[in-house]
Amino acid sequence: MLPAFLGFIRDRPRLHMTSNMQTNSIKKPNSIHAFPRRNRKGVDLDELKVQARQEAHRRQKEEAETAFVRKFHPKTTPAADGVTPSTAEKTPPGPRKDSSPIKPFSSILNVAKLLATPHTSSQISALWTAYHASRSGGTGRGYICASLPLEAYNRMTNVAKRYPSFVLPVPRQHKPETSPLGDMSEPAHEFFYLQWDFYSAPSQPSATDPDPFQPVPSAPSCTALPPVSTVLFTPLQEYKHRGSFATPYLVLTFHTDLSHSHDLVLLRGEITPSAAVTDAKPGRDIVERYLLSQVDAQLLAMGLQEYYLWDKEKGGEERDSTAEELLRRFHERPDDFDWQELLKRSVMTA
């Protein structure tokens, strides 16, 4: 059955990757006296009608003059923001200003240069691994990466859309305590709460850089790329206390930009730096700079595959259905969820 410390997940709030939404508080007037009266300057109703007619005539005149200029001088017509096409061509594209929490794939690898020359899926996977291994001064600390075929990604996301959350135990070391009979105590575990999120599909990659001033054509549904997805991992204890404001310790992002061209989905894992040591000196132990160890991040990524990559293996061998049953039971029959079985599986996979 579901233990007491997991029971609160039934009514679980959603985690958010960003928390920069601001709420504007607008006070409504309690009475009509809060609004200024129009006739406090001595203007009567007839004068207001005259002023309204004059304002309407002025606007019609301005619109007619603008239409005339657009008809005979289209290249010099200012846009709504005061930028003409001639000046817009000289204006470099600014930084990305949308609210998406996903870092674009093109900001990690030069997609145009990558597609300009032929690359196999194995070569791209090797480049992806080498890039992340070169991070953090060549240590690769703070990042994990992987690549998987599109078919495997589709299988995982099909399950994730039905069961978008789960808990995974991570073994923790502690001092062995021996009873008088000589039996060792059970190993300790820390539970992590995981949550899937899906975002809009990226545009089709091209060997040429896109024109920032041209609208992006919508791809037909038959050629549209799969949606980008993320998985957030948060310690269950922190999620229990902070809910949707809990800090994810690990964020996995599945980039699908090359899924059609190379049958490849690239996984990027980012471990959250510790706020207490963001100003750590180079000589300081680099392990202390992150909220999660590299090994724990790998274990969580392996656990995600264990519980969400269903069906048969490529060799035709049937997978153990225990993991699938635990995931189903967690959502469909939480009272029958066996967390002891979950711990047994974590010991086997670790």
Side-chain angles (χ1 to χ4, degrees), residues 324-341:
E324 301 173 11
E325 179 60 27
L326 283 172
L327 181 59
R328 283 196 189 98
R329 199 179 302 167
F330 181 80
H331 286 268
E332 298 173 0
R333 304 190 309 277
D335 291 334
D336 297 333
F337 182 75
D338 189 356
W339 63 278
Q340 290 287 358
E341 184 65 30

Side-chain angles (χ1 to χ4, degrees), residues 15-67:
L15 287 170
H16 301 285
M17 292 184 65
T18 57
S19 58
N20 53 3
M21 296 178 61
Q22 298 179 354
T23 303
N24 297 324
S25 178
I26 302 177
K27 296 182 178 180
K28 296 183 179 180
N30 295 326
S31 67
I32 60 173
H33 299 291
F35 293 100
R37 293 172 57 188
R38 280 191 171 268
N39 58 354
R40 285 185 177 176
K41 293 184 178 181
V43 181
D44 58 15
L45 184 59
D46 293 334
E47 264 187 85
L48 290 175
K49 291 180 179 180
V50 173
Q51 291 178 4
R53 284 196 294 268
Q54 291 176 349
E55 178 67 18
H57 179 72
R58 183 185 64 80
R59 289 182 180 178
Q60 290 177 357
K61 185 178 180 181
E62 289 181 355
E63 292 175 359
E65 291 176 352
T66 303

Side-chain angles (χ1 to χ4, degrees), residues 83-278:
V83 180
T84 62
S86 58
T87 58
E89 294 175 359
K90 301 177 183 179
T91 305
R96 178 175 174 173
K97 296 182 180 180
D98 57 44
S99 58
S100 174
I102 305 299
K103 187 175 184 179
F105 181 70
S106 58
S107 66
I108 303 174
L109 294 182
N110 190 330
V111 180
K113 189 174 182 180
L114 187 67
L115 297 179
T117 54
H119 286 83
T120 64
S121 299
S122 300
Q123 291 173 334
I124 293 178
S125 297
L127 287 172
W128 188 247
T129 302
Y131 170 81
H132 289 92
S134 67
R135 302 297 91 188
S136 302
T139 65
R141 185 69 180 90
Y143 298 92
I144 62 174
C145 67
S147 59
L148 63 157
L150 175 60
E151 183 268 341
Y153 176 72
N154 287 335
R155 280 195 283 147
M156 291 183 69
T157 54
N158 288 337
V159 177
K161 290 174 182 177
R162 293 160 55 192
Y163 309 119
S165 60
F166 195 54
V167 287
L168 291 177
V170 175
R172 288 286 178 254
Q173 293 182 355
H174 63 90
K175 293 182 180 180
E177 297 179 0
T178 307
S179 68
L181 299 178
D183 296 331
M184 302 296 292
S185 62
E186 294 183 357
H189 291 83
E190 181 181 9
F191 281 87
F192 279 78
Y193 176 73
L194 72 86
Q195 175 186 293
W196 285 80
D197 286 295
F198 294 90
Y199 301 89
S200 58
S203 57
Q204 290 282 355
S206 174
T208 58
D209 292 324
D211 187 350
F213 304 107
Q214 293 294 331
V216 179
S218 58
S221 58
C222 58
T223 60
L225 297 175
V228 176
S229 63
T230 62
V231 186
L232 309 183
F233 293 88
T234 306
L236 189 60
Q237 193 66 19
E238 180 168 348
Y239 178 74
K240 180 178 179 180
H241 287 92
R242 302 185 62 189
S244 60
F245 297 99
T247 300
Y249 279 31
L250 173 66
V251 179
L252 301 183
T253 305
F254 292 88
H255 292 279
T256 60
D257 299 66
L258 303 180
S259 58
H260 284 182
S261 59
H262 293 79
D263 191 33
L264 200 63
V265 175
L266 298 176
L267 168 65
R268 173 185 174 93
E270 298 178 75
I271 305 174
T272 304
S274 174
V277 292
T278 50

